[in-house]
Amino acid sequence: MKLLNTIVYAHRGASKLAPENTMPAFELAYQLDADGIETDVQLTKDRVPVLIHDENVRRTTNGTGFVQDYTFKELQQLDAGSWFSSQYINTSIISLDEFLRWIKDKNLKLNIELKNNVIEYKDLEDIVYNLLKSYQVLDRTVISSFNSKSIKRFNKIDPNVTTAYLTSQKIVDLIPFAKSKGASGLHIKNRILSKSLLDKAKESNLYVSVWTVNRPTQMMRCYKLGCKAIFTDVPHVAKETLRLFNKRSN
């Protein structure tokens, strides 16, 4: 029997073990044999794409205020690690450029989430695209966003890049809606995963990936249903669970 090869993305890196969206979390994800890394991109005041999930720096740094009100140099002065553990004191927020320089020669897939559903960062799609192109990683990158207009804009820049519409909602016309924006796939919250949704997506030539899947029972369900990828804070657990699933299936 053919082995299942569901892609395991480390969600914001190995974010259960190190501060999310930082180099320690990405390094750990690589060491733990993740297939890819998922990260979030926002723009600074001086239009540098940086890796941070929230629009506000308060939760994951010792600073306050919005990412868009800081220059990149100012953001680098913030401590993005000690909130997680004293082991990571003085860990810095990094730029997309730094991240791509690190990942370029590694056998890792990328999922770049454009964080523009709250703040519409002007030209975010072009800025991210040009960086991905310059590092020659477009062929292994998925661009995802909750902002359907952003997906459409990215597809206009380059229709060959894989894009995915992100949602946590059960929307009646979800599949035709995603297709109308040019999305290649759906990245859905674990709680709305169902066999019928997967079947309908497959009929429409849309793949389905699921976030955030941290429990082995949830992972097993995703594997059984044939999801293309899962996003997890514990990539080592996901990889081990996949090995176990394949062993049982064969």
Side-chain angles (χ1 to χ4, degrees), residues 71-181:
T71 64
F72 178 51
K73 193 173 181 181
E74 288 168 344
L75 272 185
Q76 285 182 301
Q77 306 308 309
L78 300 179
D79 179 344
S82 59
W83 68 274
F84 185 89
S85 161
S86 57
Q87 179 185 344
Y88 297 106
I89 193 165
N90 292 328
T91 298
S92 300
I93 291 172
I94 66 164
S95 66
L96 178 60
D97 186 80
E98 291 172 275
F99 174 69
L100 294 176
R101 201 179 312 140
W102 171 80
I103 208 171
K104 186 184 185 321
D105 298 320
K106 293 176 174 60
N107 186 25
L108 285 167
K109 297 178 186 297
L110 293 85
N111 188 107
I112 305 293
E113 182 182 340
L114 305 178
K115 296 298 291 186
N116 53 4
N117 55 311
V118 176
I119 297 169
E120 281 261 16
Y121 295 108
K122 185 172 165 39
D123 302 323
L124 179 63
E125 297 86 3
D126 285 293
I127 292 166
V128 169
Y129 176 78
N130 289 330
L131 262 178
L132 293 170
K133 189 177 181 182
S134 70
Y135 280 97
Q136 301 179 314
V137 293
L138 283 167
D139 59 339
R140 53 178 160 130
T141 300
V142 176
I143 296 292
S144 63
S145 181
F146 284 97
N147 185 336
S148 61
K149 292 175 185 174
S150 183
I151 295 294
K152 198 165 188 175
R153 285 194 293 265
F154 213 98
N155 282 318
K156 279 187 179 177
I157 297 168
D158 187 343
N160 295 314
V161 177
T162 302
T163 55
Y165 179 57
L166 269 163
T167 184
S168 60
Q169 306 298 319
K170 280 187 179 179
I171 305 166
V172 176
D173 297 322
L174 177 59
I175 291 164
F177 178 76
K179 289 287 284 186
S180 73
K181 303 302 177 184

Side-chain angles (χ1 to χ4, degrees), residues 193-220:
L193 173 65
S194 68
K195 186 179 185 301
S196 63
L197 177 61
L198 277 165
D199 290 344
K200 287 173 187 170
K202 193 174 182 181
E203 284 169 20
S204 297
N205 202 29
L206 277 178
Y207 76 82
V208 175
S209 298
V210 185
W211 51 277
T212 304
V213 188
N214 288 336
R215 295 206 302 268
T217 50
Q218 296 172 333
M219 294 167 183
M220 281 290 191

